[in-house]
Amino acid sequence: MYRIMSSDEAACLVKDGDVICVNSFVGIENPVELHEAIYRKYKKDNTPKHLTMISSAGFGVWDENKNAEGYIREGAVDKLICGHFGAMLSTKKLVLENRFEAYNLPLGCISHAIRAQAGGLPGALSKVGLDIFVDPDIDGPGINDISHDKSLIKKVEVDGEEFLYYTLPKINVALIKGTSCDRKGNISFDDMYMSGDALSICQAVKANGGKVIVQVDRLIRVPSRPRNTIIPGCLVDAVVVVDPESRHAAYESLTGNFEIPYSQWKDWHEMLETLTATKQTTNVAGRIIGKRAARELKPDDIVNIGIGIPEIVAHYARKTGILDRVTLTVESGGVGGFPASGTVFGAMIGAACMVDMANQFDLYDNGGLDICFMGALEVDRYGNVNAHRGPGAFSGIGGFANITAKTKTVVFCLTFNTKGLEVLRQKEKVTICNNGAIPKFVEEVRSISFSAKRALVNGQRVLYITERCVFELTEKGLKLKEVYPGINVKKDIIDLLPFEIEV
């Protein structure tokens, strides 16, 4: 039977050595007060400690002094297993200082491993991750010098086919954020942007004899509609009521509480962008790339658009009218709306449907997407892509590996080089005024996020769209498919590549 308690009382349910699973998505839907209470208890009593933290998409709020950042920084956590670390501002720096073990697994594979544990299975099979950095035959999932846990990913053979087998430590504490709790402890997600892995996490924790702790905005007397109840009360141990922070009305567009027709997507997106943007991605080079990439969309396509330069694709798709004839999706579970960005990445404006994250990745892993648009840090002579790890910095692979693993057409959107790149476009003519100091096309990528070899085996069509040209993946590597007006093939492309390409 669940009990209503304060956050400090709930924090006492967490013990030394517990394996905590957090339901959140990058920077949204974090149970912030639960984390703050754990930090208060740790500072006061030096417990709980030796914690293992698991989250499919990471758990931060873009503030190094909030959420779990404090107790992670001060030593309560021994091990982190996440798909993405982008919103965990201090944590992702400490990872590279070897302060604790840290592992980066594909977001969807963590989600499926949680669901497997909920069903009494030790792990989840997947082809996602083969031939990229997490593959045990390449690097493995450990991020730093002290992360050597080989139990998380194993290469196995089933019926003559190779798979990766993803397993997680047995989770015994769930930290969840919901909207409301009724008199029987049922948790609704009425005002939430997504449900993520919430149900699977709770089922796994209860199967393992653990504690489910839920932070909600309010208690209600009249139960929510059954379809809006994500966690049944029989799975809940503790409920902590925390008044939600006031927020701009624009955020209500992400809850699904009212219909937002296609004609209003642009207005809501622009309002949110002024409140949530983390950096400016719109520039001449980005606009050239976005406009060209948008031409790859076809009516009835099921689509995923990544963050950064790929977001500009949607702008041009709207201008041409094709956006209203395709179905956009986002990793957290949204289908049929317009993905938000910045600090609310993972939410969706005007979604037609919101599914559990594991179900969304069923679609992605099985080739259900027609096309995706992804960013890239580096591309090598073979067509491999590094999208998750730069020099001395990383954010994590997130859903990138799942999205690109079997999608029929994969479009990478990236500038030819960076740091000082200046581009001029007059009508349709492109002029490179100054090349950037850091090349994006390299002899060998630092770490493999996308395997060209695997894509060729799968029969995927792969494009690399830049501000000056388009490359296509072939059996021989990169082929120059298209050069924009105004670009000198030799001076602006060939001479700047450290390898030969097919022309």
Side-chain angles (χ1 to χ4, degrees):
M1 179 67 179
Y2 82 98
R3 290 193 299 125
I4 297 171
M5 60 182 69
S6 70
S7 58
D8 291 324
E9 290 173 323
C12 293
L13 299 177
V14 183
K15 307 300 182 184
D16 290 358
D18 277 348
V19 179
I20 300 173
C21 195
V22 183
N23 189 58
S24 56
F25 191 91
V26 188
I28 63 173
E29 310 303 28
N30 280 277
V32 176
E33 176 56 27
L34 298 183
H35 287 297
E36 300 285 356
I38 291 171
Y39 185 30
R40 288 193 296 270
K41 181 167 178 54
Y42 180 74
K43 285 196 295 183
K44 179 176 178 287
D45 301 327
N46 194 35
T47 187
K49 56 182 181 292
H50 302 307
L51 301 173
T52 294
M53 307 290 294
I54 298 172
S55 176
S56 297
F59 50 103
V61 291
W62 304 97
D63 186 334
E64 62 183 20
N65 295 312
K66 287 188 176 181
N67 214 48
E69 303 272 22
Y71 65 82
I72 292 174
R73 183 167 54 242
E74 295 193 18
V77 175
D78 288 354
K79 180 183 290 189
L80 271 173
I81 303 169
C82 293
H84 201 271
F85 293 76
M88 303 164 72
L89 299 186
S90 72
T91 298
K92 65 182 181 180
K93 296 175 186 175
L94 298 175
V95 165
L96 299 180
E97 297 174 5
N98 297 325
R99 291 279 294 275
F100 38 76
E101 289 184 61
Y103 300 88
N104 184 208
L105 280 61
L107 194 163
C109 298
I110 299 178
S111 181
H112 285 158
I114 293 169
R115 184 175 64 181
Q117 202 171 116
L121 302 174
L125 285 175
S126 181
K127 285 188 174 291
V128 174
L130 288 168
D131 297 324
I132 69 171
F133 77 101
V134 296
D135 190 321
D137 291 345
I138 298 181
D139 296 321
I143 299 169
N144 58 24
D145 298 332
I146 63 171
S147 301
H148 305 295
D149 188 344
K150 297 186 183 302
S151 70
L152 300 175
I153 305 177
K154 298 175 184 176
K155 186 169 280 187
V156 299
E157 188 174 295
V158 179
D159 294 337
E161 286 192 71
E162 269 191 342
F163 293 86
L164 293 183
Y165 187 54
Y166 291 88
T167 63
L168 298 170
K170 283 194 173 184
I171 57 179
N172 66 342
V173 173
L175 297 183
I176 310 287
K177 171 70 174 68
T179 297
S180 61
C181 172
D182 70 16
R183 62 183 182 273
K184 293 189 175 182
N186 301 307
I187 308 298
S188 85
F189 278 53
D190 294 347
D191 298 336
M192 307 292 287
Y193 303 156
M194 58 109 204
S195 57
D197 294 316
L199 179 58
S200 292
I201 293 170
C202 295
Q203 290 172 329
V205 167
K206 297 310 290 182
N208 295 334
K211 300 294 185 183
V212 171
I213 307 170
V214 184
Q215 176 184 322
V216 297
D217 298 337
R218 56 185 177 269
L219 302 176
I220 56 174
R221 293 182 60 82
V222 179
S224 179
R225 294 184 63 188
R227 283 287 182 184
N228 293 347
T229 298
I230 302 298
I231 307 171
C234 58
L235 298 180
V236 179
D237 293 287
V239 173
V240 176
V241 184
V242 180
D243 289 336
E245 293 182 3
S246 60
R247 60 190 183 190
H248 192 279
Y251 288 93
E252 295 304 312
S253 66
L254 306 173
T255 64
N257 287 337
F258 55 93
E259 181 184 5
I260 301 177
Y262 171 77
S263 61
Q264 295 178 16
W265 285 4
K266 179 176 182 290
D267 296 333
W268 285 105
H269 182 261
E270 288 178 351
M271 276 192 286
L272 281 166
E273 196 170 40
T274 62
L275 299 167
T276 65
T278 56
K279 60 182 178 179
Q280 179 59 255
T281 58
T282 302
N283 52 40
V284 174
R287 290 195 293 271
I288 294 170
I289 295 166
K291 183 177 182 180
R292 171 61 187 85
R295 285 167 40 195
E296 296 299 321
L297 287 166
K298 302 187 300 296
D300 300 323
D301 275 351
I302 303 174
V303 186
N304 180 283
I305 296 178
I307 57 175
I309 292 177
E311 294 176 67
I312 306 171
V313 175
H315 169 76
Y316 284 99
R318 187 191 298 116
K319 290 183 72 171
T320 62
I322 190 70
L323 188 63
D324 194 29
R325 303 173 68 188
V326 301
T327 300
L328 300 183
T329 69
V330 69
E331 296 94 305
S332 58
V335 180
F338 188 83
S341 58
T343 58
V344 288
F345 173 64
M348 208 167 201
I349 299 167
C353 177
M354 185 62 68
V355 301
D356 284 354
M357 199 146 60
N359 296 116
Q360 189 79 304
F361 280 97
D362 288 338
L363 174 77
Y364 293 169
D365 289 0
N366 202 33
L369 289 172
D370 294 296
I371 190 169
C372 65
F373 300 89
M374 298 283 113
L377 296 174
E378 298 174 315
V379 178
D380 68 20
R381 64 182 305 139
Y382 307 106
N384 297 318
V385 173
N386 169 23
H388 74 278
R389 188 155 192 170
F394 83 104
S395 289
I397 191 69
F400 180 98
N402 302 85
I403 293 165
T404 59
K406 286 193 72 176
T407 296
K408 300 173 184 67
T409 297
V410 179
V411 181
F412 293 108
C413 302
L414 70 158
T415 55
F416 200 88
N417 44 53
T418 189
K419 197 176 182 181
L421 175 65
E422 295 179 12
V423 181
L424 178 67
R425 179 177 61 180
Q426 293 176 310
K427 295 185 178 179
E428 294 303 313
K429 184 178 178 180
V430 177
T431 302
I432 307 301
C433 304
N434 189 66
N435 277 298
I438 301 175
K440 291 289 195 82
F441 290 85
V442 296
E443 184 73 26
E444 185 177 348
V445 294
R446 183 175 289 103
S447 187
I448 301 175
S449 312
F450 170 82
S451 167
K453 180 178 76 173
R454 181 67 48 177
L456 291 168
V457 169
N458 290 339
Q460 294 168 275
R461 177 172 175 256
V462 184
L463 299 178
Y464 309 80
I465 296 180
T466 77
E467 79 288 347
R468 63 190 73 185
C469 63
V470 179
F471 298 104
E472 186 169 21
L473 180 64
T474 72
E475 294 285 347
K476 297 179 181 180
L478 296 186
K479 178 180 180 179
L480 186 60
K481 174 183 173 66
E482 183 180 330
V483 178
Y484 305 159
I487 295 297
N488 182 297
V489 174
K490 185 175 186 303
K491 178 173 73 74
D492 294 329
I493 301 172
I494 303 296
D495 290 351
L496 299 178
L497 291 172
F499 50 82
E500 294 183 0
I501 59 167
E502 187 179 353
V503 179

